[in-house]
Amino acid sequence: MASVFHHFLLVLVFLDTHAAQPFCLPGCTCSEESFGRTLQCISVSLGKIPGNLSEEFKQVRIENSPLFEMPQGSFINMSTLEYLWLNFNNISVIHLGALEHLPELRELRLEGNRLRSVPWTAFRATPLLRVLDLKRNKIDALPELALQFLVSLTYLDLSSNRLTVVSRSVFLNWPAYLKRRQPDCGAGILSSLVVALHDNPWVCDCRLRGLVQFVKSITLPVILVNSYLICRGPLSKAGQLFHETELSTCMKPQISTPSANVTIRVGQNVTLRCLAQASPSPSIAWTYPLSMWREFDGLLGGKHLTPVLTSSTGEDTALSELAIPAAHLVDSGNYTCMASNSIGKSTLVISLHVQPAQALHAPDSLSIPSEGNAYIDLRVVKQTVHGILLEWLAVADTSEEEWFTLHIASDEAFRKEVVHIGPGINTYAVDNLLPGTKYKACLSLEDQPPHQGQCVVFVTGRDGGGLEARERLLHVTVVLCVVLLAVPVGAYAWAAQGPCSCSKWVLCYCLHCRKAPSCPPAAPQCRDGSFREHPAVCDDGEGHIDTEGDKEKEGMEENS
């Protein structure tokens, strides 16, 4: 009987002991350390911080888990928690109230997460925090008052982040630093203040001048974990140590130009230059009368480009050159160069005057003026649901109100359209295209004949064939010829700007066609020779290319 009673007491003691132990999460380990009870969850699939943790835990360590945020009220029942280690997770967001109810927190370690920013005011709730480890994150900025609530901090690690520029005021406003710089506080009274800033992509321009001076002046009891901070940029400073570099003060851009008034004749090339000095280095942009059209034209591979070349001529100096080839009267106007940096911006205006030429334009001019002295630039820009879209810029050279006529005709007698439109940038959709048909669109001044304006000729291919095959042909042909457009009826449109003057153009051949259809008589202007080097290709209805046509074409090229 005594033996039974003895075993009964042992069972009661065992049950009472286990009932008194706090619950431990599945997959995690709980242990008693010298400072208190510890929870460790290493490589456990936790999607969020558990909300039922016991307040008896002094340390919580969750690492290598898919945690992606620290939400508000995450530790509402853990007012005695002192050590929180959340290293090597996927945390990218810390909510403003995430650290509430943690007045006893001493260490917060967030190494190897994905933080781009930190809600620094959240540390108001942790006045006893002594260690803050944020290394190997993606933090790219520090506000000037970021450290104002970290009054008890003795270790701050911001190494291996993406910091490029940090103000010296971040540390001069830090109470923990100011406390150690007071003359009446001996080094033995306060512990050292350890800071890690290495392995960041520091940009050593004028904006970093204050921090560089601060690093050079650091003395005990402030300690840098690695005092060899290295400049990553700009190129002239890359690889230099903070202690070796000398940085100038910041200044807004100052702009100059060789000539603020430029006069040329129609057809001449001209380059406008803008020199900007600033610290940090400035970026330069141009605005001018036809900037929207010219830039859009350049994206389309247009024939009248206005390229801008910006280069560095020295430290904190940039030269921007805007080239205008074959200037027309419409290019006259004010060209504004604007240089800007983080300090400010400056502008300079260059006036360009284009005077009429004494002689007539060459017949192969890129933009053909009609007898009424007008600038016309017409092109096919894209495929629409039922056809293609034309776009043009038309400007009359006279001050009188002018209008323009768009003529659209095809080989079929019944297809003819005449549209009267005012000057400026306009678009027009050519719909319901027929397969195997040549179309011609011309834009001329007022009621002048169509051939005196600028024309676009496009030919639709034959209908038929699978869509996938036609798309393959379209891709190949665009690479070779840069003049093929798809139309929704299963055909293709071959477009050529005209009038043009390529001396040689290869005919298009289609498979299963005994008679080769002629391509439009006008071909794109061969300024760079690209159209001389690549053949034109026609759709045969199945997405193939006629090999016999290729051989005959090669013979034509050899004979030429």
Side-chain angles (χ1 to χ4, degrees), residues 62-65 67 86-91 111-114:
I62 303 175
E63 297 183 358
N64 296 311
S65 75
L67 285 179
L86 300 174
N87 299 320
F88 305 109
N89 298 302
N90 294 319
I91 299 174
E111 177 185 355
N113 282 280
R114 299 183 178 182

Side-chain angles (χ1 to χ4, degrees), residues 426-479:
N426 293 282
T427 59
Y428 187 81
V430 184
D431 296 330
N432 301 317
L433 296 178
L434 298 175
T437 306
K438 182 176 74 173
Y439 294 87
K440 185 176 183 179
C442 296
L443 189 67
S444 60
L445 180 63
E446 295 184 344
D447 56 356
Q448 293 178 356
H451 66 272
Q452 292 189 9
Q454 189 184 31
C455 297
V456 171
V457 177
F458 53 95
V459 179
T460 59
R462 297 186 181 277
D463 196 4
L467 178 61
E468 182 180 355
R470 293 199 301 273
E471 288 179 347
R472 286 201 303 268
L473 175 64
L474 176 63
H475 174 73
V476 171
T477 307
V478 167
V479 171

Side-chain angles (χ1 to χ4, degrees), residues 103-178:
E104 300 295 324
L105 190 65
R106 263 70 169 175
E107 285 190 17
L108 177 59
R109 297 183 181 272
L110 292 162
E111 177 185 355
N113 282 280
R114 299 183 178 182
L115 294 170
R116 294 184 180 274
S117 62
V118 175
W120 298 99
T121 55
F123 295 109
R124 191 197 302 263
T126 58
L128 301 181
L129 190 67
R130 298 177 62 83
V131 175
L132 179 58
D133 186 354
L134 296 169
K135 62 175 170 285
R136 294 188 179 91
N137 277 276
K138 300 179 180 181
I139 300 171
D140 57 7
L142 283 181
E144 289 194 2
L145 299 178
L147 309 181
Q148 64 175 328
F149 297 116
L150 298 170
V151 294
S152 302
L153 207 66
T154 59
Y155 180 85
L156 174 63
D157 196 336
L158 290 166
S159 62
S160 301
N161 276 276
R162 297 181 178 179
L163 297 173
T164 56
V165 175
V166 172
S167 171
R168 173 174 54 181
S169 300
V170 172
F171 300 97
L172 297 183
N173 293 326
W174 187 9
Y177 173 77
L178 295 176

